[in-house]
């Protein structure tokens, strides 16, 4: 073998090895994928199943999801039964032993975060589609973003120990940037502290608690139950009596009822993003808060 040929072989081997050594991560949602990307950098590959503009409670299974799950070393999920309607059958059908429940590559992110709205007492059908383990929309508090990043750093390091120092460095840098960004977000939201809002679904409790907004009602009469005329009237009356001006709606809900509430109360309907990927230009965890906070502060400014 001549020198150039042996160099070529060495280069090919190196590139094959580095490709093979990347941890193949699949996340149930774009939010988890975005945080995984912050920590994993170029030592992992990340893809997501649900898109950020879709309702994460109801995702239409596609054959392409199975292909992604079949290749994965690690599956990151939100948990708290958010994905219960669609992810478990896909995991089973993938027949990938690495990501089955109890395998090392099955990772329920909810075990590492602060969870709100954990029901006390018995849950009945009359309560609607209540999340029985607590509210799964927890990633909308940057403190939970931080906890998720730490958990992923530990998990990636456990599965790919040779890159542990790299993951630790990236995670520390993410926390540093997040702390810096939070100062800006807090400053922008400070004038709106205590303002009352209506949301469509209970997607924003972590966000509103963190940024001191007061959610006093929902367009849904009960979680997962579509609007009814009598409940809509209650919301209209509440908005009028308490001078509430903002109705926050997730991108995947029908705007007819929120718009009609807005018209009857002089309020504004804002399509607030619960997820990275909710609109094309929001591709990172930081951009998600930038986008939502700009939208909110702009709208509140109109109603000073
Ligand atoms: Zn929900």
């Amino acid at each position: 073998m001549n020198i150039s040929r042996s160099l070529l072989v060495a280069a090919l081997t190196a590139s094959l090895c580095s490709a093979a050594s990347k941890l193949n991560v699949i996340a149930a949602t774009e939010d988890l994928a975005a945080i995984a990307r912050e920590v994993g950098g170029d030592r992992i590959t990340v893809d997501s199943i649900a898109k950020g503009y879709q309702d994460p409670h109801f995702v239409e299974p596609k054959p392409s999801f199975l292909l992604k799950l079949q290749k994965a070393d690690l599956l990151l999920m939100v948990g708290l039964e958010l994905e219960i309607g669609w992810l478990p059958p896909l995991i089973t059908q993938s027949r990938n032993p690495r990501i089955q429940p109890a395998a090392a590559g099955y990772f329920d992110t909810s075990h590492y975060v602060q969870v709100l709205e954990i029901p006390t007492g018995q849950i009945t059908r009359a309560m609607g589609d209540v999340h029985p383990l607590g509210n799964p929309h927890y990633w909308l508090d940057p403190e939970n973003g931080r906890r998720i990043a730490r958990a992923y750093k530990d998990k990636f390091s456990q599965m790919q120990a040779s890159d542990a120092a790299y993951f630790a460095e990236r995670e520390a840098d993410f926390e540093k940037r997040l702390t810096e960004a939070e100062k800006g977000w807090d400053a922008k939201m400070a004038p709106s502290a205590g303002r009352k809002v209506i949301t469509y679904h209970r997607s924003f409790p972590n966000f509103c608690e963190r940024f001191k907004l007061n959610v006093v009602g929902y367009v849904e009469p009960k979680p997962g139950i579509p609007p009814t005329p009598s409940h809509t009237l209650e919301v209209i009356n509440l908005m009028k009596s308490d001078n509430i001006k903002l109705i926050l709606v997730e991108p995947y809900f029908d705007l007819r009822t929120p718009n009609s509430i807005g018209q009857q109360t002089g309020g504004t309907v804002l399509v607030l993003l619960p997820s990275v990927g909710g609109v094309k230009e929001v591709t990172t965890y930081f951009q998600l808060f930038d986008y939502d906070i700009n939208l909110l502060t702009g709208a509140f400014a109109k109603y000073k």
Side-chain angles (χ1 to χ4, degrees):
M1 190 186 289
N2 64 33
I3 288 171
S4 66
R5 179 129 183 241
S6 66
L7 278 176
L8 181 66
V9 170
L12 276 174
T13 311
S15 78
L16 281 174
C17 285
S18 73
S21 71
K22 279 192 187 188
L23 193 65
N24 190 332
V25 179
I26 180 91
T29 67
E30 288 202 63
D31 307 284
L32 302 186
I35 297 173
R37 210 167 276 127
E38 297 280 357
V39 176
D42 61 11
R43 308 293 163 87
I44 68 169
T45 59
V46 199
D47 207 343
S48 61
I49 301 180
K51 294 296 164 202
Y53 51 81
Q54 290 179 309
D55 185 343
H57 308 83
F58 306 101
V59 176
E60 193 81 39
K62 286 189 201 158
S64 61
F65 298 166
L66 276 182
L67 290 176
K68 290 176 182 182
L69 288 167
Q70 277 159 1
K71 290 184 298 184
D73 299 311
L74 175 61
L75 167 64
L76 307 171
M77 72 200 77
V78 173
L80 303 176
E81 301 195 352
L82 179 71
E83 307 102 332
I84 197 167
W86 53 275
L87 189 56
L90 286 173
I91 296 172
T92 308
Q93 286 160 39
S94 80
R95 299 185 185 195
N96 175 353
R98 296 184 297 280
I99 59 161
Q100 297 302 314
Y106 178 96
F107 194 88
D108 182 339
T109 309
S110 71
H111 295 164
Y112 301 86
V113 300
Q114 195 195 11
V115 176
L116 301 176
E117 299 181 352
I118 298 172
T120 52
Q122 220 190 339
I123 295 167
T124 66
R125 279 193 90 86
M127 294 161 78
D129 217 351
V130 167
H131 295 299
L133 304 175
N135 192 301
H137 307 274
Y138 54 73
W139 61 88
L140 284 162
D141 177 347
E143 176 53 26
N144 276 341
R146 196 175 273 111
R147 291 180 185 205
I148 296 168
R150 286 178 197 155
Y152 288 177
K153 180 227 358 165
D154 290 342
K155 188 67 197 177
F156 297 167
S157 305
Q158 184 195 326
M159 296 186 79
Q160 196 161 271
S162 56
D163 287 320
Y166 174 84
F167 296 139
E169 194 182 307
R170 298 231 5 145
E171 197 280 327
D173 183 64
F174 171 74
E175 285 202 35
K176 206 172 120 198
R177 286 180 291 123
L178 190 59
T179 303
E180 204 48 49
E182 280 185 279
K183 287 179 195 160
W185 297 333
D186 283 333
K188 282 190 158 177
M189 289 299 287
S192 315
R195 298 287 293 253
K196 292 177 180 175
V197 295
I198 302 292
T199 72
Y200 195 108
H201 177 70
R202 291 174 179 259
S203 302
F204 301 103
N206 296 80
F207 181 91
C208 289
E209 187 170 291
R210 172 64 182 75
F211 294 107
K212 302 189 173 69
L213 298 180
N214 195 357
V215 185
V216 293
Y218 305 94
V219 176
E220 287 179 335
K222 284 167 186 164
I225 308 293
T228 59
S230 63
H231 178 74
T232 299
L233 190 61
E234 282 171 26
V235 172
I236 290 169
N237 290 336
L238 177 67
M239 286 182 69
K240 284 179 175 168
S241 67
D242 285 22
N243 194 30
I244 300 165
K245 294 298 182 193
L246 294 192
I247 308 153
L248 313 179
V249 182
E250 298 84 342
Y252 35 81
F253 287 120
D254 192 324
L255 284 170
R256 271 173 297 184
T257 302
N259 282 341
S260 117
I261 296 173
Q263 275 155 19
Q264 293 179 65
T265 57
T268 298
V269 174
L270 287 187
V271 177
L272 202 70
L273 304 186
S275 282
V276 172
V279 292
K280 253 204 329 289
E281 61 268 31
V282 173
T283 60
T284 70
Y285 190 64
F286 294 91
Q287 288 167 351
L288 175 60
F289 291 96
D290 285 340
Y291 183 95
D292 283 345
I293 287 170
N294 279 336
L295 205 62
L296 282 167
T297 50
F300 278 128
K302 286 199 298 181
Y303 296 110
K304 271 211 172 101

